[in-house]
Amino acid sequence: MPKPVLLVVDDTEEELRLIQRDLERRYGQRYRIHGERSGSEALEKLWQLKQGGERVALVLANQRMRKITGVEVLTQAASLFPDVKRALIADYSDAESAIDAIKKFGIDHYLIRPCQPPEQNLYPVIDDLLVDWESRFLLSLEGVRVVGSRFSPESHQTRDFLVRNCVPFQWLDIERDEEARRLLAGAGEKASRLPIIVFPDGTQLVQPTNTQIAEKIGLKVHPGGTSYDLVIVGGGPAGLAASVYGASEGLRTVMIERHAPGGQAGLSAMIENYLGFPAGMSGTELARRAVVQAKKFEVEIVTPQVVTAVRVEGSSRIVTLSDGSDLRCEVALLATGVEWRRLDVPGIERLTGAGVYYGGTLAEVFFCRNEDVYIVGGANSAGQAALHFSRYARSVTLVVRADSLSKSMSHYLIEQIEATKNIKVRLNTTVCEAHGEDRLESITLLDSATGDKETVRTNALFIFIGALPHTDWLEGVVARDDHGFILTGPDLAKVAGDGHRPAGWPLERDPFWLESSVPGIFVAGDVRHGSVKRVAAGVGEGATAVQFIHQYLNSTLSGS
Ligand SMILES: Cc1cc2nc3c(=O)[nH]c(=O)nc-3n(C[C@H](O)[C@H](O)[C@H](O)COP(=O)(O)OP(=O)(O)OC[C@H]3O[C@@H](n4cnc5c(N)ncnc54)[C@H](O)[C@@H]3O)c2cc1C
């Protein structure tokens, strides 16, 4: 397999020569570096690469070229290679239009020329873009292979687990790939025992659980110790932020995550409103970076593992795991977020994982090339998914119960949806039935304004209809509101037994802002009553909780 390509386009000969030389020096071992002197030559080259079945990782194009501009080249590049990373080379005076291009055309970054010295003005941006590209596409060809059926729920579970844990893999579908059928026969397995995961060392797992996969790929499924300063339950943005701040400030910290670090944010195709990332970044990439950061500070990350109970024993908090083991700690932080609400109409439950999916978009994007995809929901998560799928699918239809998107979706997403030709929005519409034997074949849509029903063919329905906390396991432990969100700090006045302190509160002081009705059990992120449901808010609360945890620890040590 030839090395993937980095293409640079600049009609200023000297600039082109310098950038090519600098790219060659740093990336030449892993990539083939091509240079083109005009937009038309670059488009011709991209077309040839496409025809030859080659991989293009990155295109860099000078905005100020004669005839065809950099933005035009980058826009065409994405239509030929939907996953390619794209950066514009601009003059200082073009910075505004470069930012505009990021906004309008989803361009990943811009560089101000001259990109010298490269260590400062070229490599940091290119390194970032290539790390992201490689984590998804490069290793998949050399690493893990998954043999499965697109419409099998077990195969979906495996794909989803690998994608969310940032494990690149090559997907081989028994309905399409000869290689998949050969591996299946070689393993002596029947199609009913899918998926099969083939590892680079030749070993295989047949229809594995997530725990078996985790053990094989080197995740830590059981904690190394039994006693910690801080146990964090949940590895979304709030839990990850708390783990980084906690461990970096000297607390022995373990984070227990049921599925994969990143939480809901890990499902987001493109987070555009997180400070400091003007071109946005995928939730998996944000999670991948946060995990590296947490590990740098020696946070123990345990996943997949579920916390089933929390209790108080004297000054300790005891956290019970699903295998029955207990962890003792000074402080527990609950950051368990929320989960999708289920769509309760005929056919949906039976076909979940076989064409119907709750949010799990990134793992399914492989299959949506040239398909007609339906997305239920009118909030930001649905809008982001629609934009993401529109890069691959023939058409995307957003099915929205309300009569307008503006009530529930951010303005920037509505603008992008309106500007995307293959996205259609059906307002006042709900899905009232899903059809198909062993896979989704069609859905029936109900127009609530007219009462008309229409059945449309589709193999892919993604549901994004709001979320609820699953905190029943905390019943009788911490105070919650009527929807299950956990009350903290001043909100505990709502269940106050005495003055503004919760019933049974044993201390002289009031609960801290992010403290639950039990001293030493803190809460951060979406699961908290009154929280702002955003990545930045979760990160902020996770970091802030650690501040209160220090105050709590200091006050227990001093006996006050
Ligand atoms: C598709 C999508 C797109 C989004 N896009 C954006 C965006 O662009 N910008 C933005 O600001 N916000 C966005 N959001 C919202 C944002 O992702 C959430 O507000 C944020 O992830 C909340 O973080 P959290 O840590 O509180 O909870 P979560 O992200 O929900 O994480 C909670 C974690 O806890 C784990 N967990 C739960 N119970 C247990 C248990 N008992 N034991 C162990 N682990 C447990 C879960 O598996 C999960 O990983 C999006 C959400 C979705 C779903």
Side-chain angles (χ1 to χ4, degrees), residues 233-239 256-260 262-265 267-268 270-273 305-307 335-338 340 381 384 464 473 524-526 533-535:
V233 188
I256 315 289
E257 164 54 45
R258 179 175 44 193
H259 202 66
Q264 295 168 72
L267 298 172
S268 172
M270 185 57 77
I271 298 169
E272 293 197 63
N273 55 2
Q305 183 61 263
V306 182
V307 171
T336 51
V338 291
W340 299 113
S381 49
Q384 281 179 6
F464 294 81
W473 59 284
D526 281 12
K533 311 286 183 282
R534 290 282 184 271
V535 175

Side-chain angles (χ1 to χ4, degrees), residues 302-347:
V302 176
T303 185
Q305 183 61 263
V306 182
V307 171
T308 54
V310 182
R311 66 180 195 277
V312 175
E313 267 185 26
S315 64
S316 296
R317 308 294 170 253
I318 311 293
V319 172
T320 306
L321 306 183
S322 58
D323 61 9
S325 61
D326 279 347
L327 294 179
R328 185 171 287 270
C329 57
E330 304 289 320
V331 180
L333 175 75
L334 305 173
T336 51
V338 291
E339 280 174 42
W340 299 113
R341 273 201 303 122
R342 300 275 138 175
L343 179 61
D344 189 15
V345 300

Side-chain angles (χ1 to χ4, degrees), residues 343-348 430-435 443-446 453-454:
L343 179 61
D344 189 15
V345 300
I348 291 287
T430 52
V431 172
C432 60
E433 193 165 355
H435 315 272
I443 54 174
T444 301
L445 300 172
L446 169 69
K453 282 187 179 177
E454 183 190 356

